[in-house]
Amino acid sequence: MAAPFSRMLTLDQVEEVLSLGKPLVYALVRCGELRAAQFGGRGVWRVREDDLAAYIDAAYAKTAERIAAGQISEGDDASAED
């Protein structure tokens, strides 16, 4: 039987999954682009796995739209971000 709740990830785990730095992950959370919640008296941030998957799916869809619209050209080298 499946668990009733999706697994909760720390922002450090989100950083690792997305291969992004802490400032960018916090910015995504603060602007609401990546859904997250604070828990406990210390306001510890957590992201549901389902919400992270939805963010990733949305990023792929947005990228595909930008490619189709000609907003991303050959000169936009993805390896420059690695």
Side-chain angles (χ1 to χ4, degrees):
M1 181 173 168
F5 298 106
S6 152
R7 182 170 171 238
M8 302 296 283
L9 304 173
T10 66
L11 294 188
D12 287 341
Q13 290 170 316
V14 171
E15 287 177 53
E16 186 176 324
V17 169
L18 296 177
S19 296
L20 298 175
K22 188 176 294 282
L24 184 50
V25 171
Y26 275 100
L28 291 171
V29 167
R30 281 193 306 270
C31 77
E33 194 169 338
L34 176 59
R35 190 172 175 200
Q38 285 185 298
F39 295 92
R42 295 179 56 207
V44 176
W45 286 101
R46 293 292 183 264
V47 176
R48 288 188 303 199
E49 261 185 349
D50 294 347
D51 290 326
L52 180 56
Y55 170 78
I56 293 169
D57 289 344
Y60 273 102
K62 184 186 286 186
T63 302
E65 290 171 10
R66 291 179 60 213
I67 291 169
Q71 295 174 348
I72 297 177
S73 67
E74 276 186 44
D76 294 338
D77 185 11
S79 66
E81 295 177 21
D82 289 343

